[in-house]
Each structure stands twice: as structure tokens, then as C-alpha cells.
Amino acid sequence: MTRAAVIGFLLLFCACSKPEAKKGAIARVGKSYLYPSDLVGLMPAGTSPKDSVAMVKAFIDRWAAGKLLMEAAERNVGKEKKEEFNRLIRDYKVDLYTKAYLEQLVQRSVDTLVTDKELKAYYDENRDNFRATGMLVRLRYINVPKDHPKFGQIRSKFLDFRKSDKKFWDTYQLQFQNSALNDSVWVEMNEIYRRLPFITPENRNEFIAPGISYQRAEGSGVYLVKVRDVVDRNEIAPYSFLKPTLKEVILNRRKLDMIKKIEKDITDDAIKNETYEIYKKP
């Protein structure tokens, strides 16, 4: 709602009210005043006049209640508590400002390009720290209708899975109820449970093991599954699975290093310019 519309509704709403203590104000609590500008944008476009008046009234009531509670709290909260809150407010303000300023400096200065060589080197140096938190699996599967006329050929090509058959899969994959043929990607077990609902935590070892292949009839379809590889929990997680995370880790390290450098530089400059002095060492 526009400013003019808000003022119009307020005139209607306040027609029977007493004159305001301050010109233009629509409500007062102690020394705090509420003005029409505080209500601009309150009502969504198309709100009826009746609903708009009700929304304005509810907003004013909430504003007044908040102010009254705050005044009561300031009168009744103990001195020690007030000092604690004021200290927290000061610290929070400092944190907000310094964080925003540092983020601006870091965004302008930090190098966001991370090469594959850097990622691999970081992984190799720290691989013992990268343990899988759950089982990881590489597999392929298709869910083929039981009565598919090419079932035998599909099954044979699925088990062989040659690169030369790409055109075949491009043709037939759309006919499958469900499929995933890229077995070079590591996925977590939760994803396997979602995509292959006949596998559960209780029977997982029956269906998930390196190198096994099988078919499983479910409803009107047959699942053909080939498990390529498995990484158990607490084993070193594969590089390809961690690659996106590694990039974020390296970038975060660069940002932290940049922040430390900025803090050191700004402190050194202050000492040099004599705007920062230590009179007594702790």
C-alpha cells in the first residue's frame, strides 16, 4: 500500500481520536511516537479498506505493547542484568560491523580460483582426515517393465555396458520406469534407499557389495543392478566424492588467512601511526 493510501486509512481510523501530541504522529507510548511512514508497505496490494484498517489497528497495538513491555523491563530489570545486556549489545554491534567490513575486503581480495592440482594435493596431504561418515556406493541400475519385448537384449547390454552402446541407451533409457547409468558417481546410502526401495538398512549387505550384479522383480518391473564399488563408513572417502567440499575448505582457509593478514596489517599501521599504543604489557 502506498504512503497516501496509508494516510487515508489512518485518517479514517483516527477520526474519533484525540489530537496527537506531535504533529503527524498516529500513536504515542511515553516519548516514542509512531508515524504514517512507519506503516508504508504494511498491507499487501489489493487489501480491502476494512481489512487494511484492521491490520493497521493490530500493528499499532503490537507496537504499543512492545514499547510498554520494553519500558517496564528497563524499569524493573536489575542493574547487573542491564550492564550484561548492554555489553552484549555493544559486542554484537562490533561483530556485525567488523564481519561485514571484513567480508567486503575478502571478496575483493581473495583468489577464488582453485585448480584441480591444488585440490588433489590438499586431498593427498590430508586424506587420513577425510573418513566417510556413512557407506558410499558406485552403481548403475534400471527398472525395466517385465513384459518389455527387448528385455533380454537390455539385460545383456546392461551387464556388458560398453561405451559403444551409448546410442542404444539413449534410445531405450526413456522407456525405463527408473534408471541411473552413470556408475562413476559416488552416492550415499540414503540416496540408494530412496531410489531402490527394496534395499533397507537390514538387508543392505545382501544387495550392496563390490562387483555384484542381480535382478529383482518389484511390481510390474524388474530392477537390474550392478554395484561397481563400495566405501564403508570410516574408510577414506574418494577424491571425486569430496572434490566440491575440498574446494570450499580451501577457499575458507584462504579467507581466514586473508582475515588474519588484514587484522595484522591494520594493527601494524595503527602502531606505526601511533593511533594504537600499549601502555602496560599484560
Side-chain angles (χ1 to χ4, degrees):
M1 177 169 284
T2 64
R3 179 186 177 90
V6 168
I7 293 173
F9 282 119
L10 290 173
L11 290 174
L12 174 64
F13 175 73
C14 300
C16 299
S17 301
K18 295 179 180 180
E20 301 296 341
K22 276 195 175 183
K23 185 177 180 181
I26 56 175
R28 177 185 67 84
V29 171
K31 296 181 180 180
S32 298
Y33 290 84
L34 188 70
Y35 293 92
S37 58
D38 297 317
L39 304 179
V40 173
L42 176 63
M43 282 81 71
T47 305
S48 68
K50 181 179 178 181
D51 290 341
S52 296
V53 171
M55 290 175 69
V56 169
K57 175 64 167 59
F59 180 86
I60 295 173
D61 288 344
R62 288 195 303 273
W63 173 85
K67 291 291 182 183
L68 291 167
L69 284 169
M70 185 62 183
E71 289 185 3
E74 288 179 333
R75 288 194 302 269
N76 292 284
V77 169
K79 181 181 178 181
E80 290 184 1
K81 208 66 176 174
K82 282 184 180 179
E83 291 176 351
E84 179 187 348
F85 288 160
N86 288 332
R87 184 173 64 255
L88 289 172
I89 291 168
R90 288 193 301 269
D91 291 345
Y92 185 56
K93 180 179 179 180
V94 170
D95 288 343
L96 284 176
Y97 274 84
T98 55
K99 183 179 179 181
Y101 178 58
L102 286 171
E103 283 180 352
Q104 289 179 4
L105 294 177
V106 167
Q107 285 176 0
R108 291 200 298 261
S109 305
V110 74
D111 182 9
T112 57
L113 177 63
V114 183
T115 65
D116 287 339
K117 184 178 179 181
E118 288 177 283
L119 290 171
K120 191 64 169 63
Y122 185 80
Y123 174 79
D124 290 339
E125 291 170 7
N126 300 276
R127 57 187 295 122
D128 285 339
N129 298 326
F130 300 129
R131 302 281 173 174
T133 57
M135 182 179 282
L136 302 174
V137 185
R138 287 195 298 182
L139 56 72
R140 63 180 181 270
Y141 73 89
I142 55 177
N143 187 1
V144 190
K146 288 179 179 179
D147 57 356
H148 196 289
K150 297 283 187 179
F151 182 86
Q153 185 181 13
I154 290 171
R155 184 179 183 279
S156 176
K157 287 186 177 293
F158 175 82
L159 295 175
D160 289 342
F161 210 69
R162 299 174 182 175
K163 290 184 178 180
S164 57
D165 289 332
K166 182 179 183 304
K167 187 175 180 181
F168 175 87
W169 293 117
D170 289 343
T171 300
Y172 284 96
Q173 190 171 6
L174 295 175
Q175 302 176 17
F176 305 149
Q177 298 176 34
N178 191 8
S179 65
L181 295 174
N182 186 1
D183 58 5
S184 64
V185 176
W186 291 95
V187 295
E188 296 175 314
M189 275 307 303
N190 285 339
E191 183 68 11
I192 301 296
Y193 295 143
R194 188 179 70 82
R195 289 176 170 264
L196 303 176
F198 60 89
I199 300 178
T200 66
E202 291 73 27
N203 66 16
R204 180 179 67 188
N205 293 337
E206 178 183 351
F207 296 106
I208 301 297
I212 68 168
S213 58
Y214 54 88
Q215 68 181 53
R216 166 89 177 197
E218 290 286 324
S220 60
V222 176
Y223 282 94
L224 301 178
V225 182
K226 172 66 178 181
V227 180
R228 181 174 170 183
D229 206 354
V230 176
V231 170
D232 286 321
R233 184 175 182 272
N234 290 327
E235 290 185 346
I236 294 174
Y239 169 73
S240 59
F241 177 77
L242 291 173
K243 190 174 179 180
T245 303
L246 293 174
K247 182 176 180 180
E248 291 302 315
V249 169
I250 291 175
L251 288 176
N252 285 335
R253 286 188 61 185
R254 287 182 186 175
K255 290 176 182 178
L256 289 174
D257 291 342
M258 179 66 68
I259 288 171
K260 289 179 182 178
K261 183 179 184 302
I262 291 170
E263 290 174 341
K264 184 178 185 305
D265 289 346
I266 202 170
T267 303
D268 290 346
D269 287 344
I271 293 172
K272 182 179 178 181
N273 298 329
E274 298 184 351
T275 56
Y276 168 44
E277 296 178 276
I278 300 177
Y279 299 117
K280 185 177 180 181
K281 292 185 178 180

